[in-house]
Amino acid sequence: MPLIPGAEPMRHDGSQVGVLLCHGFTGSPQSLRPWALHLADAGYTVSLPLLPGHGTRWQDLEVTGWQDWYATVDRELRVLRDSCEQVFVGGLSMGGALALRLAARHGDAVSGVVVVNPACSFPRLEGYALPVVRHLVRSTKGIADDIAKEGSHELGYDRVPLRAAHSLRDLFRVACGELAQVTQPLLVLHSRTDHVVPPADSAHILASVSSEDVTETLLERSYHVATLDHDAERIFADSEGFISRIAAGKQARDRA
């Protein structure tokens, strides 16, 4: 199937500091492209892959699972490690869960983590029903476009395939079970009002990681897709400052 215009992946070759960005469930690189471009303009090497089943039609997502999505970002991380001295990982929503799992699994190969409205839980009632309902109903209404800023739009599916949603629930279970293995510096940016992911998810992540260098930023004017919302510039600036600080610190320690 052809890609939705604007959903294309992005790669920019820059400095020896690389950044891997992971988009959210049913979304596409479009939701993170302004962030990726900002980091590219700051001189970093940036990778923003398209996850399997995304950016085309929801039926394509139906036949993928979390192992496919994770394998893609895992492969991109390894590619960045081949060309960069330091690599940071970041993500929005489900992309935040993927980024945290990369940090947990790869240890010192990841220098730091930036997550925006990270997701790590599934609504209890829907979660209990999914194993049965996914065999009876193919899809439900979409979750894309939760944005406060007028005129801003997210390229995402208008339907959520329940088979893929069931796999998403499994991803959250796996990622949450590994949060204690996250030791890298961490920046968590989350919206006060989010109609997709509850604020409790960010609180749980902050309470569960083993990172000593942790920064929490509350986004007052944005909904879930904050990277396309009123607080986007703050996300871009804070993440650039975070990456610059951590990268410079490591370079200084290496020289010493």
Side-chain angles (χ1 to χ4, degrees):
M1 289 295 296
L3 288 181
I4 301 170
E8 301 84 3
M10 173 186 157
R11 174 65 189 252
H12 171 79
D13 292 324
S15 71
Q16 288 294 302
V17 176
V19 185
L20 169 59
L21 297 179
C22 313
H23 69 75
F25 184 63
T26 76
S28 76
Q30 177 263 351
S31 62
L32 300 186
R33 196 175 308 279
W35 188 11
L37 290 172
H38 178 94
L39 294 174
D41 288 342
Y44 299 116
T45 293
V46 181
S47 176
L48 173 55
L50 174 67
L51 301 180
H54 292 77
T56 53
R57 57 176 191 162
W58 69 262
Q59 291 88 344
D60 295 328
L61 181 58
E62 187 177 28
V63 295
T64 67
W66 76 263
Q67 294 92 341
D68 303 308
W69 315 327
Y70 180 77
T72 296
V73 296
D74 184 85
R75 182 171 59 252
E76 288 296 316
L77 174 62
R78 295 174 190 273
V79 170
L80 283 174
R81 286 292 301 172
D82 286 341
S83 61
C84 296
E85 295 177 356
Q86 298 185 58
V87 178
F88 292 78
V89 295
L92 167 69
S93 193
M94 177 189 78
L98 293 172
L100 288 163
R101 185 162 199 258
L102 287 171
R105 302 277 290 185
H106 286 272
D108 291 342
V110 173
S111 297
V113 187
V114 182
V115 290
V116 179
N117 290 325
C120 67
S121 70
F122 213 89
R124 183 169 299 178
L125 181 60
E126 289 88 338
Y128 284 144
L130 262 179
V132 175
V133 174
R134 67 192 172 109
H135 296 295
L136 305 174
V137 180
R138 288 187 66 186
S139 67
T140 187
K141 65 179 181 179
I143 57 174
D145 236 11
D146 187 36
I147 302 173
K149 185 177 180 180
E150 185 175 353
S152 189
H153 173 62
E154 179 190 18
L155 289 180
Y157 296 148
D158 59 2
R159 304 294 297 175
V160 174
L162 293 188
R163 287 181 182 271
H166 183 261
S167 188
L168 176 67
R169 188 189 69 161
D170 292 341
L171 168 63
F172 291 159
R173 184 183 298 114
V174 170
C176 280
E178 297 174 341
L179 286 174
Q181 300 174 44
V182 177
T183 60
Q184 297 89 339
L186 172 65
L187 171 60
V188 177
L189 306 105
H190 61 97
S191 300
R192 182 180 295 279
T193 302
D194 187 328
H195 304 100
V196 178
V197 172
D201 281 23
S202 290
H204 177 72
I205 290 167
L206 288 165
S208 301
V209 297
S210 299
S211 306
E212 295 182 358
D213 184 339
V214 177
T215 304
E216 178 184 10
T217 299
L218 184 62
L219 306 174
E220 299 280 1
R221 304 172 57 225
S222 300
Y223 294 162
H224 183 61
V225 192
T227 50
L228 298 177
D229 216 326
H230 293 293
D231 293 297
E233 292 298 328
R234 182 173 187 184
I235 293 170
F236 306 162
D238 283 11
S239 61
E240 180 187 347
F242 172 83
I243 293 168
S244 176
R245 174 174 67 84
I246 302 302
K250 184 178 186 303
Q251 290 169 353
R253 290 192 299 273
D254 289 346
R255 286 195 297 270

